Amino acid sequence: MNVCALRIEKISPLGFLEGEISDEVIAEERVAFYLNGTKLLSVMSIPNDQDSHFVGFLMSEGVLEDISHITRLEIAEDGKSVSMEAEICDEKLQNLFREKTLTSGCCVGVAGNLEGQIVEKFVESPRILSGRDLFKYLREFESPSALFAKTGCVHKAMLIVGENKLVCEDVGRHNAIDKVVGKARLMGLETQDAILYVSGRLSLEMVVKAVMHSIPIVISKAAATFMGIRAAQKTGITLVGFARGECANVYTHSGRIRFD
């Protein structure tokens, strides 16, 4: 269950309001990821799309190079663990344990492959997004989900792949991205011409996730950081921030945005 009902007290500048009221809050869980028979790590997340989350995380880190390398993927009955058997890149796996970087996520995240080969990749995509479609998709993205309407406590990621619009949510903005790209991969969809909408700020590690999946256009309602912008410029990502209503900031590679 993703939501818990609690009794709370409300206050105003004048003090406590009379009586308790019911409020619904997100119920995150510790979900364990097992890779080739060994526990890899645990993440605090909403226990849904757990298999997509694991796949997206491993591919974002370069540990899993192709979906076809998976021989078994299974969610435990209680939903609190995911097991995968797969052919992996041992060097990238070891990087997760050799040198960790605490990310700037809303939940503390860990990424072990932020340097070197990953950020040297350049996304060369001919994908063009019209200004009209950019704001049309933004209006769809801004529509509150039932979970957000209840709790106001989730990040959202929407991936547009051809005619497909995939949406995932989580308490962590990194988790939401891993889930949505993992879902696309499990559906057999390629992401090299996709468009990614996110609710969180565009920091370095968010851009790196897009690079690893060759997603050329990333759009957020929130701000971009200096390191995120620099990484997007270097790796060929069209980065758009503060996309709200009828306005947005285009930070890098604006040639993919066209107006008639």
Side-chain angles (χ1 to χ4, degrees), residues 20-229:
E20 292 186 344
I21 64 170
S22 178
D23 189 32
E24 293 182 305
V25 299
I26 284 290
E28 70 269 44
E29 297 275 0
R30 186 183 299 276
V31 179
F33 290 160
Y34 289 86
L35 179 61
N36 293 335
T38 300
K39 184 176 180 180
L40 180 64
L41 53 82
S42 293
V43 293
M44 297 302 298
S45 69
I46 300 173
N48 59 20
D49 296 314
Q50 301 97 310
D51 52 351
S52 298
H53 188 177
F54 197 10
V55 169
F57 171 75
L58 290 180
M59 296 191 80
S60 295
E61 293 292 334
V63 175
L64 178 68
E65 296 180 345
D66 192 272
I67 201 73
S68 65
H69 294 171
I70 300 174
T71 56
R72 185 177 72 89
L73 182 62
E74 183 178 328
I75 302 174
E77 287 187 11
D78 64 4
K80 295 182 181 180
S81 68
V82 184
S83 298
M84 180 191 297
E85 299 288 335
E87 177 187 340
I88 60 171
C89 176
D90 286 325
E91 179 184 356
K92 298 291 173 55
L93 178 63
Q94 291 307 312
N95 284 347
L96 288 175
F97 301 99
R98 183 179 301 121
E99 181 177 354
K100 291 179 168 59
T101 300
L102 292 179
T103 69
S104 58
C106 52
C107 296
V108 175
V110 176
N113 292 303
L114 286 177
E115 304 297 336
Q117 178 182 345
I118 289 180
V119 295
E120 288 175 4
K121 180 177 176 180
F122 193 86
V123 177
E124 296 187 26
S125 170
R127 182 69 158 99
I128 298 298
L129 177 64
S130 72
R132 177 164 44 180
D133 282 345
L134 187 156
F135 289 104
K136 180 188 77 172
Y137 294 140
L138 178 63
R139 287 191 291 273
E140 295 178 19
F141 182 70
E142 288 179 326
S143 300
S145 67
L147 190 57
F148 184 86
K150 284 183 177 181
T151 67
C153 189
V154 289
H155 277 290
K156 182 189 222 179
M158 179 173 78
L159 191 68
I160 299 166
V161 190
E163 298 300 315
N164 299 279
K165 295 187 185 73
L166 310 179
V167 176
C168 287
E169 295 174 302
D170 201 88
V171 290
R173 58 196 175 101
H174 303 81
N175 295 346
I177 292 178
D178 285 337
K179 284 183 176 182
V180 81
V181 294
K183 180 178 287 189
R185 297 292 192 175
L186 287 173
M187 292 173 63
L189 301 174
E190 297 296 331
T191 57
Q192 66 266 23
D193 292 320
I195 302 165
L196 177 63
Y197 281 78
V198 298
S199 57
R201 64 187 174 277
L202 298 170
S203 51
L204 169 63
E205 64 275 13
M206 302 286 275
V207 172
V208 169
K209 287 185 183 294
V211 174
M212 288 303 295
H213 295 277
S214 299
I215 298 171
I217 302 174
V218 181
I219 300 165
S220 177
K221 294 176 61 178
T225 70
F226 175 76
M227 291 292 286
I229 294 168

